[in-house]
Amino acid sequence: MVKIRLTRGGAKKRPFYHIIVTDSRNPRDGRNIERLGYYNPVATGGEKRIELNTERVKHWVGTGAQLTDKVATLYKEALKGADAPAAKA
């Protein structure tokens, strides 16, 4: 089964996650099929929290891939962010 899930990176106490497409049998940080974006839970200031290619997510879901719970939440958040007008600083 193909899954869209998070793989961890970053330093100790500073997590950074890539959103990837992989076979569910692969280990968390193992081989992946495609990288769709990233999630930075400790983003501050001008750093982006979520960067996600929503068109590719739609493609993979259409071919039978399943989103994990966290990635589904991030996907909804990314869709909201894409619809909202850019804030001026």
Side-chain angles (χ1 to χ4, degrees):
M1 175 184 299
V2 177
K3 290 235 180 206
I4 301 175
R5 66 183 185 197
L6 300 174
T7 182
R8 193 180 194 283
K12 184 177 178 183
K13 304 289 185 183
R14 293 272 309 164
F16 186 89
Y17 299 94
H18 290 284
I19 302 168
I20 62 162
V21 179
T22 188
D23 190 298
S24 62
R25 296 170 291 189
N26 288 342
R28 179 191 71 186
D29 296 335
R31 204 184 77 176
N32 62 63
I33 299 169
E34 183 179 355
R35 190 177 141 229
L36 303 176
Y38 65 83
Y39 166 54
N40 185 2
V42 292
T44 57
E47 297 176 355
K48 280 188 146 185
R49 185 166 178 263
I50 301 170
E51 179 72 33
L52 185 59
N53 186 341
T54 55
E55 292 300 317
R56 292 303 291 167
V57 172
K58 287 177 191 173
H59 164 78
W60 280 106
V61 170
T63 59
Q66 292 192 345
L67 301 168
T68 60
D69 293 338
K70 184 62 180 180
V71 173
T73 304
L74 294 172
Y75 178 60
K76 288 178 187 172
E77 190 174 325
L79 286 175
K80 269 196 241 176
D83 294 340
K88 293 184 180 181

